[in-house]
Amino acid sequence: MAKNHVPDWLNNSLWSSRSPPPQQSLTPAKTSIDSEDMNRSTNSAVKSSVSAESSVKLPVPMPPPAVIRAEPRPVPPPSPKVEIIGPLNSSSSNCRSDGENGSSAGSTTTSGISSTEDISRQAQLSQELSRKIINLGEVRRLASQGIPDGPGIRAIVWKLLLGYLPTEKALWPTELAKKRPQYKQFKEELLMNPSEIARRLEKFASLENDGTGTDIEGKGVLSRSKVTQEEHPLSLGKSSIWNQFFQDTEIIEQIDRDVKRTHPDLHFFSGDAPSAKSNQDALRIILIIFAKLNPGIRYVQGMNEILAPLFYVFRNDPNEEDPAMAEADTFFCFVELLSGFRDNFCQQLDNSVVGIRSTITRLSQLLKEHDEELWRHLEVTTNVNPQFYAFRWITLLLTQEFNFPDSLLIWDTLLSDPEGPQETLLRICCAMLIIVRRRLLAGDFTSNLKLLQNYPSSNISHLLYVANKLRVKSAG
């Protein structure tokens, strides 16, 4: 039987949004990842369900095939590009539409308090980061509330939270001197074409033969009889460097397409400016190297959206003068971040206890535990399969559900959890459902699906507060 009583703090109008205006348009613009590029048929199944008449009982759609990853949220209709070059203002979380968790006018009454709290938290973080031995627990506590703007504070905190930098500051130069040259070596070796690899092998063989660096025929070119099967461009052998090269080409083409569509509303990633082109090249190289070093996963569509916030934060660190260093730092932090979510991207694990479907089931159970009435209305009464909205939420770490500044604030909380970001991510997703529960309870299949696939603008501080309440209630 559904729970009739909801905690008082959830009944407060602060957590529920008003219904949208009658003529509100939900028509999406062009998505940042074209649907024809997707390998799963999630959206097509959803669209066919939405178009059905409401009087017909809709069957529960079958789970999507285990091939695609995630489709980013449609970007709004054409609007002027947002020029974001330097660090973002953390107070931008107050920018939301009227009717969602309070009005914009109402938010101004607390802006002074929020500003004071941000200044205080920034001072505490700066003080903690100035210590010789940093208290990581204290940094986590402060970062979990959102990292205010400051000269390079978020970049350093994220590197600490992801384990890229040790807590002892004296060791930072040593660690960076190890990691950054290693990344440079990855670029030199993994971005090399097969012809260059063959030339290097030939030179190495020549040095072994006579120690002069000259081929025994004196021309520096291998004779036809010396071209091995692995070195032949038409070889289909698994160990063939050419066969591997052609396989990598397909992935690289996919990476190129996705990188070009990364945050098209931000000049930092999009446009004809040299800086935007340079930033796209950095994303492209990082993803290619990751794909080659991780053959079990390689590249999965949507990884570019997870990589973008890391590179943005590190590239805009005023304490780092060399852009190439930001690329290296981003690569290692990206690897560490994805290690906690890699099972969500592994197709072979989709139906396992650690795969993406199991993760979505855990979100459903979490909602049932905290708000059974809402859970029953969504999954039983209106037959809204959580895979139709939660798949993208989880695999892309909410980067497509909120504007870019708000996404960074959410990531502050995700990265600061000592138990890992997965559980915090699920609580935030559950809080997103609870915050709009009144609209969901009043809606049918079609309206609820539109709402959850185009999540309304929200006050991020309130969202994180509700998510934290869910943690406290579960612990209690």
Side-chain angles (χ1 to χ4, degrees), residues 393 398 401-402 410 425 427-437 440 452 455 458 463 466 470:
W393 291 8
L398 300 176
E401 314 314 315
F402 302 95
I410 291 175
L425 175 62
R427 282 191 293 270
I428 293 176
C429 291
C430 186
M432 290 168 62
L433 296 169
I434 292 174
I435 282 179
V436 294
R437 70 185 307 273
L440 292 173
L452 296 178
Y455 195 79
S458 303
L463 172 64
V466 175
L470 300 181

Side-chain angles (χ1 to χ4, degrees), residues 261-295:
R261 291 182 290 223
T262 301
H263 291 290
D265 55 328
L266 302 183
H267 281 301
F268 182 85
F269 294 109
S270 179
D272 298 327
S275 59
K277 296 293 185 182
S278 175
N279 295 334
Q280 286 187 356
D281 288 342
L283 296 182
R284 175 180 178 274
I285 292 173
I286 292 173
L287 292 170
I288 291 174
I289 293 176
F290 177 86
K292 292 192 174 188
L293 289 176
N294 296 271

Side-chain angles (χ1 to χ4, degrees), residues 19 44 51 78 110 146 158 164 174 200 204 252 369 373 384 429 442:
S19 299
S44 61
S51 62
T110 59
W158 281 16
Y164 183 62
T174 304
R200 293 198 178 191
F204 178 75
I252 292 173
E369 174 188 348
E373 180 187 8
V384 176
C429 291

Side-chain angles (χ1 to χ4, degrees), residues 208-219:
E208 283 192 334
N209 286 331
D210 56 13
T212 63
T214 306
D215 186 76
I216 54 176
E217 296 186 1
K219 297 181 180 180

Side-chain angles (χ1 to χ4, degrees), residues 290-425:
F290 177 86
K292 292 192 174 188
L293 289 176
N294 296 271
I297 300 180
R298 298 179 73 78
Y299 172 76
V300 179
Q301 197 168 26
M303 286 183 176
N304 58 304
E305 302 293 346
I306 299 177
L307 177 64
L310 290 171
F311 182 72
Y312 174 85
V313 170
F314 297 159
R315 180 63 182 83
N316 285 296
D317 182 1
N319 299 319
E320 188 56 64
E321 298 179 357
D322 191 346
M325 299 301 98
E327 182 181 321
D329 296 347
T330 301
F331 169 77
F332 287 105
C333 288
F334 176 69
V335 171
E336 180 61 29
L337 176 62
L338 225 58
S339 66
F341 295 96
R342 62 178 298 151
D343 294 339
N344 293 338
F345 292 95
C346 189
Q347 176 182 334
Q348 293 81 356
L349 298 177
D350 276 356
N351 296 316
S352 70
V353 295
V354 296
I356 180 60
R357 289 177 181 166
S358 176
T359 303
I360 293 175
T361 299
R362 286 163 55 200
L363 172 60
S364 175
Q365 294 170 345
L366 190 64
L367 177 63
K368 183 178 181 180
E369 174 188 348
H370 293 285
D371 195 339
E372 187 172 346
E373 180 187 8
L374 177 57
W375 169 84
R376 187 173 299 279
H377 181 76
L378 283 176
E379 299 193 23
V380 179
T381 304
T382 61
N383 290 328
V384 176
N385 191 323
Q387 292 194 37
F388 291 148
Y389 60 88
F391 188 90
R392 186 179 66 196
W393 291 8
I394 294 172
T395 55
L396 299 186
L397 307 188
L398 300 176
T399 56
Q400 298 297 293
E401 314 314 315
F402 302 95
N403 62 46
F404 196 72
D406 288 347
S407 296
L408 298 186
L409 290 173
I410 291 175
W411 276 38
D412 292 339
T413 300
L414 291 178
L415 299 181
S416 63
D417 193 331
E419 300 176 359
Q422 183 80 276
E423 295 304 317
T424 299
L425 175 62

